[in-house]
C-alpha cells in the first residue's frame, strides 16, 4: 500500500449520479400522481406522502453527494461540501467495507465504505473517483490502529488487493466488534 504523500481527492461523477436523479424523479412523480389526478382518500394520501418524503430525502442525499468532495491525506479523511465532516486517522475507531450485488451471480455491484471516529461517520461508495486509493488509506489506518474488522470487511478489502490480517486490538483503541 505505498501511496504518495499528496492529497487524494474523489468526487461522484455526474454519470454515476444520473440514475439516482432519475429514480428520484420517478419516485416523486409516483408520490405526486394521486394528488395531481384527484383528491385522494387518506388511505391513498398517507402512503403517497410517505413515498414523496422518501424520494425527497433520496434526492437530497444524491445532491449532497454531487456537491461534496472526499479528501484523504496522511492526517485523515474529509468530506468537504454541504454537511462536511472530517475524521483524523488517529480518531478512527471502526470501519466497514460491504459489497452490494445487483445480480444473483454477484458479478456486478458496488462497495460501500464506512469510516467512523470522533462521533462522526463518513460513507462513500465505489462509484467515487479515487475510491481505491482512499480505501487503501482507510485500510492503513485500520491496520495502524489495530482495529477489529469483520471477516466480510477483510474479504472485501482483499477483493481490492488490500490484505488486512486479523490482529488483536491495542487496549483502549477501536470499538468492540467494529467494522461490521
Amino acid at each position: 500500500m505505498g501511496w504518495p504523500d499528496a492529497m487524494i481527492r474523489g468526487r461522484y461523477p455526474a454519470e454515476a449520479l444520473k440514475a439516482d436523479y432519475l429514480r428520484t424523479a420517478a419516485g416523486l412523480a409516483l408520490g405526486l400522481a394521486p394528488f395531481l389526478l384527484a383528491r385522494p382518500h387518506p388511505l391513498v394520501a398517507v402512503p403517497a406522502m410517505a413515498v414523496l418524503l422518501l424520494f425527497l430525502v433520496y434526492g437530497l442525499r444524491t445532491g449532497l453527494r454531487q456537491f461534496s468532495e472526499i479528501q484523504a491525506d496522511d492526517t485523515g479523511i474529509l468530506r468537504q461540501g454541504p454537511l462536511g465532516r472530517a475524521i483524523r486517522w488517529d480518531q478512527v475507531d471502526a470501519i466497514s467495507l460491504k459489497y452490494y450485488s445487483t445480480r444473483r451471480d454477484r458479478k456486478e455491484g458496488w462497495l460501500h465504505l464506512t469510516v467512523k471516529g470522533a462521533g462522526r461517520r463518513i460513507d462513500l461508495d465505489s462509484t467515487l473517483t479515487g475510491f481505491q486509493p482512499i480505501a487503501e488509506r482507510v485500510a492503513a489506518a485500520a491496520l495502524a490502529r489495530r482495529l477489529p474488522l469483520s471477516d466480510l470487511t477483510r474479504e472485501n478489502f482483499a477483493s481490492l488487493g488490500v490484505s488486512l490480517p486479523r490482529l488483536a486490538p491495542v487496549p483502549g483503541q477501536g470499538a468492540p466488534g467494529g467494522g461490521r
Side-chain angles (χ1 to χ4, degrees), residues 15-28:
E15 191 61 35
L17 298 175
K18 189 166 96 175
D20 290 345
Y21 280 125
L22 289 173
R23 280 188 279 277
T24 298
L28 291 174

Side-chain angles (χ1 to χ4, degrees), residues 14-64:
E15 191 61 35
L17 298 175
K18 189 166 96 175
D20 290 345
Y21 280 125
L22 289 173
R23 280 188 279 277
T24 298
L28 291 174
L30 181 68
L32 276 174
F35 299 102
L36 296 176
L37 299 174
R39 186 169 173 214
H41 186 277
L43 290 175
V44 173
V46 171
M49 291 296 283
V51 167
L52 271 172
L53 182 62
L54 177 73
F55 280 96
L56 180 63
V57 169
Y58 185 75
L60 291 172
R61 181 185 147 284
T62 301
L64 177 69

